Amino acid sequence: MKTKLAALTLSALLTVTACGGGGGDAPAAQGPQPLRMTIWTSNEAHLKLFKEIADDYRKTRPETGEITFDPLPFENYTTTLTTQIAGGNPPDLAWILENSAPDFVGSGALVPLKSKIQNPGELVPAATKLWEKDGELFAYPFSTSPFGVFVNTDLVKAAGQKTPQELIKAGQWDWEHANEINKAVAAKGKHGLTIWDFDYKGWDNLATIWRGWGATAYSEDGTACRFNSPEMVEAMTFLHTMIFKDKAMPAPGTVADFFAGDAAMVVAQISRAAMLEDGEFGWDLVPLPAGPKGQYAVIGQAGIGVLKKSPNAEAAADFLAFFTDEANSAKLAAYFPPARDSLLTAETMAKTSPLLKPEQLQEVVIDGIETGVVKPSHTGQAELAQTVRASLDALWVADADVKTVLDGVCAKIQPMLGA
């Protein structure tokens, strides 16, 4: 019930927020005005870079006071942000998760940005789609990170299997062949495939599999549930078989850490490469395997928006333009894959991602950004996500009837989709 109320509060609150005038009722403040951006990283390297950019900005803006970056726990980030807005203490700028984008963008709670940011025309269309409405851009897609597959090549070879790179060259890198590799590794006593941040809870990360079957969570216009579509049933049947029959994926309750050498593969974003800096096994990064519908890519994304309720919305938009210009986007690319065409080259990104080879960056990151589809999102996604998660619990047992479970998902969420 608490999560449901939080989700309802988000949708309702942002609609009310949109009616506010960007702090216009507040008296004009005197002296340099501070800015605050909520973020979900507390990584020291990230914060150091943000501060350097902010300090550069302030050198020529005496009217701007201290710029602070306020880390909030990722697990309840949106709820905490909502609470701040409701409490009359909105940040000036905020990172926004892709699954909250429809609520923030659709409500009108964010300041339009297209006329403010540098060269908006060079932003990759696939990266901006989620943040646009009626031809306007309401958040800058500062991190557009495709999913790939990290591979423990030592485990693959020890199981007598061809590596994914060998399969790619043979035109055989698909889910059927990937499953055979993972079955073989599991039979040798290690684990096969893991999916980062899934753990039988984060179901939206399964889009990295089901998109290969052409499956989607919702219809294009968001009005219909697609969990019980033939494509989704086929994809989830494949997944269920992989887990419970083939043992190619750790079962519920089993901990398998790819980065500690416990699994053959993990579906994750390129930022996880840093965890392999001191790795003691051979590894590779390859695109997602092809599915029955062919090659595909899935993106995790975050945008930066300016809250209309901010008392310093105009200054915040100006800072955002500076923070995301070409020069600073190049710096941020060390941690957050950029959406600018000018920066999407293997040569440029190799400078900021030294652990990855140019061909890995091209095939997984650059091609993925240009062609990928963002993870599922919908207005009221927080409530939907909890309902889907609870409905899918029945799928994670060996004797589950996949079609029946997925019919049950749609029975629960169709009334929530507004049609």
Side-chain angles (χ1 to χ4, degrees), residues 11 72 78 88 113 142 152 156 193 196 206 247 256 284 299 316 360 367 391:
S11 299
L72 306 177
T78 300
L113 297 173
F142 82 98
N152 184 324
V156 173
L193 175 76
W196 188 264
L206 294 179
K247 312 297 184 183
D284 196 2
I299 297 171
Q360 293 172 327
D367 292 349
S391 299

Side-chain angles (χ1 to χ4, degrees), residues 3-8 380-388 413 416:
T3 301
K4 180 175 180 179
L5 289 174
L8 292 173
Q381 178 71 8
E383 184 182 4
L384 280 166
Q386 290 300 319
T387 303
V388 171
I413 71 169
M416 302 165 65

Side-chain angles (χ1 to χ4, degrees), residues 96-102 130-131 204 299-303 374-377:
I96 301 170
L97 284 162
E98 75 271 297
N99 58 18
S100 300
L130 191 62
W131 312 99
D204 55 341
I299 297 171
Q301 199 173 47
V374 180
K375 289 198 310 176
S377 64

